């Protein structure tokens, strides 16, 4: 891992987190607290053992196991208090990492399927967002995503985004798309919902190019109007796509630890992150589902610094890119850039 001075520098850098799932940010301690609150069990998780490390607490070996665990955690969310608690808990961890702004993905359809009404979600997300800003000075905004193999979620998800905007003005940044892209599906049924979202000022921020190849990224760009891509690391398989992303300024949200854990790449040392940057692509680092992948945003910076021998200049540029590629208000972006410029380089030698 980096030297103590470089690690302190990384933590001090003002950063934005642009690829982070709310349900996937629930820690083992919080998951147990919610399960006990509602008298639920979590498969394979000892509700009385808060001392277990993350991998013991959240065991999975493949993407299917990851999804089962993700759904089990989500099953503990029922009331506005539950949703507000996980939002504020996330904000506490973000501010400790130097994150002043985050665009957080939330999946309304997952909870609609569990017969959770909109009201507790709307109230809880809004309350948690207010606490995050007032108590921790972390600005959170939402990306509401559709599970790609369930296109019938598209209209209800857009309707939820509209309801959230009415309930908490300015809180929604975009519409997303997630789920297993390597399973057969079509994006055509989603075009209208994304077009309507764009017409209403929301951005198209789908996942693509993670478990499947460039064709999914082309779909996201051409059919959905994507202005930023979640993951996108497999774009390098198509030089024409790389050129399109570069010339159009379509940024990638790259999550190295997630990619390793889900076998998108064999190891961090073999991750294409340096090649993506060498190709002139815009990108930021993300933590995806931090407790599930034993990471957080600071750890992502530390791991890539160690894996690729990157020093302060490259790390500072990644932090700056995260601010520039976000959709945060201009005044907050300016303040974060000023704070970033004020962080001194670590002493070397």
């Amino acid at each position: 891992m980096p030297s103590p001075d470089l690690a302190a520098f990384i933590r001090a850098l003002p950063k934005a987190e642009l690829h982070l799932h709310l349900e996937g940010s629930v820690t083992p301690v919080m998951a147990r607290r919610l399960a006990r609150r509602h008298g639920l069990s979590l498969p394979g998780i000892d509700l009385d053992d808060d001392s277990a490390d993350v991998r013991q607490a959240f065991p999975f070996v493949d993407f299917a196991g990851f999804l089962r665990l993700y759904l089990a955690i989500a099953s503990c969310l029922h009331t506005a208090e539950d949703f507000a608690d996980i939002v504020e808990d996330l904000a506490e961890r973000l501010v400790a990492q130097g994150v002043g702004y985050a665009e957080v993905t939330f999946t309304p359809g997952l909870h609609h399927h569990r017969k959770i009404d909109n009201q507790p979600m709307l109230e809880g997300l809004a309350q948690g967002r207010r606490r995050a800003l007032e108590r921790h000075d972390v600005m959170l905004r939402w990306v509401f995503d559709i599970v790609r193999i369930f296109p019938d979620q598209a209209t209800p998800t857009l309707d939820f985004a509209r309801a959230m905007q009415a309930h908490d003005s300015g809180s929604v940044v975009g519409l997303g798309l997630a789920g297993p892209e390597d399973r057969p599906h079509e994006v055509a049924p989603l075009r209208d919902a994304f077009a309507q979202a764009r017409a209403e000022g929301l951005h198209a921020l789908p996942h693509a190019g993670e478990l499947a190849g460039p064709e999914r990224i082309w779909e996201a760009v051409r059919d959905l109007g994507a202005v930023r891509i979640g993951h996108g690391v497999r774009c390098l398989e198509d030089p024409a796509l790389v050129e399109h992303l570069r010339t159009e300024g379509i940024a990638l949200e790259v999550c190295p630890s997630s990619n390793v854990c889900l076998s998108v790449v064999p190891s961090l040392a073999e991750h294409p992150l340096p090649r993506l940057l060498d190709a002139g692509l815009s990108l930021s680092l993300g933590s995806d589902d931090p407790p599930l992948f034993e990471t957080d945003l600071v750890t992502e910076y530390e791991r890539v610094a160690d894996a690729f021998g990157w020093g302060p200049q490259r790390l500072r540029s990644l932090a700056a890119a995260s601010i520039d590629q976000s959709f945060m208000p201009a005044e907050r972006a300016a303040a974060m850039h000023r704070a970033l410029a004020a962080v001194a380089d670590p002493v070397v030698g």
Side-chain angles (χ1 to χ4, degrees), residues 13 21 32 93 115 164 172 195 221 242 305:
L13 291 173
H21 293 263
R32 293 188 188 97
R93 285 177 280 127
K115 309 302 182 186
M164 190 75 246
V172 186
V221 172
V242 171

Side-chain angles (χ1 to χ4, degrees), residues 28-36 42 45-47 49-50 52 57:
V29 170
M30 178 60 73
R32 293 188 188 97
R33 185 186 308 169
L34 293 168
R36 290 193 292 258
L42 289 168
I45 298 175
D46 183 350
L47 297 186
D49 184 9
D50 282 341

Side-chain angles (χ1 to χ4, degrees), residues 2 23 45 62 72 77 86 101 106 113 119 143 164 172 183 198 220 230 238 244 247 272 275 279 298 305 336:
E23 297 93 333
I45 298 175
D62 55 18
L77 299 166
I86 65 170
Y101 174 88
F106 179 75
H113 181 72
Q119 203 57 33
V143 177
M164 190 75 246
V172 186
R183 284 174 53 180
R198 297 196 308 273
D238 184 345
H244 182 80
T247 58
R275 289 186 287 134
V298 162
M336 289 185 66

Side-chain angles (χ1 to χ4, degrees), residues 49-349:
D49 184 9
D50 282 341
S51 66
D53 66 26
V54 173
R55 181 52 59 223
Q56 289 175 318
F58 283 171
F60 64 91
V61 296
D62 55 18
F63 190 72
F66 161 75
L67 287 178
R68 284 193 295 271
L69 180 55
Y70 194 97
L71 294 172
I73 295 167
S75 73
C76 296
L77 299 166
H78 293 267
T79 67
E81 180 184 12
D82 297 339
F83 290 102
D85 284 352
I86 65 170
V87 173
E88 185 177 10
D89 183 64
L90 172 60
E92 289 177 357
R93 285 177 280 127
L94 289 175
V95 74
Q97 300 169 60
V99 176
Y101 174 88
E103 292 171 8
V104 183
T105 295
F106 179 75
T107 311
L110 173 61
H111 307 287
H112 290 152
H113 181 72
R114 300 191 299 113
K115 309 302 182 186
I116 303 298
D117 293 335
N118 277 352
Q119 203 57 33
M121 291 190 280
L122 295 171
E123 291 179 2
L125 295 181
Q127 183 181 36
R129 197 173 93 93
R130 284 193 298 272
R131 290 183 197 167
L133 190 59
E134 293 170 1
R135 300 178 181 179
H136 309 288
D137 194 28
V138 178
M139 178 178 283
L140 305 179
R141 299 180 76 199
W142 309 116
V143 177
F144 295 131
D145 73 337
I146 301 156
V147 178
R148 62 177 67 238
I149 59 174
F150 299 120
D152 58 329
Q153 290 182 0
T155 297
T157 299
L158 179 56
D159 287 343
F160 185 87
R162 292 166 172 152
M164 190 75 246
Q165 286 282 58
H167 190 82
D168 185 10
S169 179
S171 64
V172 186
V173 69
L175 206 62
L177 182 67
E181 61 177 339
D182 55 344
R183 284 174 53 180
H185 66 279
E186 298 290 336
V187 299
L190 307 175
R191 289 175 185 158
D192 287 347
F194 274 86
Q196 291 175 46
R198 297 196 308 273
E200 295 172 27
L202 301 182
H203 302 284
L205 305 169
H207 292 50
E210 178 191 15
L211 298 178
E215 69 280 2
R216 294 302 185 206
I217 304 174
W218 279 121
E219 289 175 347
V221 172
R222 291 171 171 166
D223 295 338
L224 306 182
V227 294
R228 209 173 61 213
I229 299 289
H231 298 293
V233 293
R234 293 186 59 181
C235 68
L236 292 172
E237 298 170 21
D238 184 345
L241 175 58
V242 171
E243 179 64 13
H244 182 80
L245 296 175
R246 188 185 64 79
T247 58
E248 294 299 317
I250 299 172
L252 308 180
E253 306 154 7
V254 180
C255 307
S257 295
S258 167
N259 295 158
V260 173
C261 286
L262 297 180
S263 300
V264 176
V265 296
S267 68
L268 192 58
E270 297 169 86
H271 197 281
L273 179 58
R275 289 186 287 134
L276 294 168
L277 289 168
D278 289 345
L281 293 171
S282 301
L283 61 85
S284 63
L285 295 182
S287 59
D288 206 355
D289 304 283
L292 298 173
F293 300 128
E294 296 184 272
T295 192
D296 58 24
L297 192 58
V298 162
T299 302
E300 293 300 289
Y301 276 74
E302 291 177 343
R303 286 174 177 169
V304 300
D306 187 55
F308 306 122
W310 288 346
Q313 183 176 352
R314 172 69 83 183
L315 299 170
R316 189 187 296 274
S317 71
L318 285 170
S322 73
I323 299 169
D324 293 337
Q325 292 161 20
S326 76
F327 296 104
M328 73 176 74
E331 62 274 14
R332 194 167 192 91
M336 289 185 66
H337 273 300
R338 287 194 297 271
L340 179 61
V343 178
D345 283 351
V347 176
V348 178

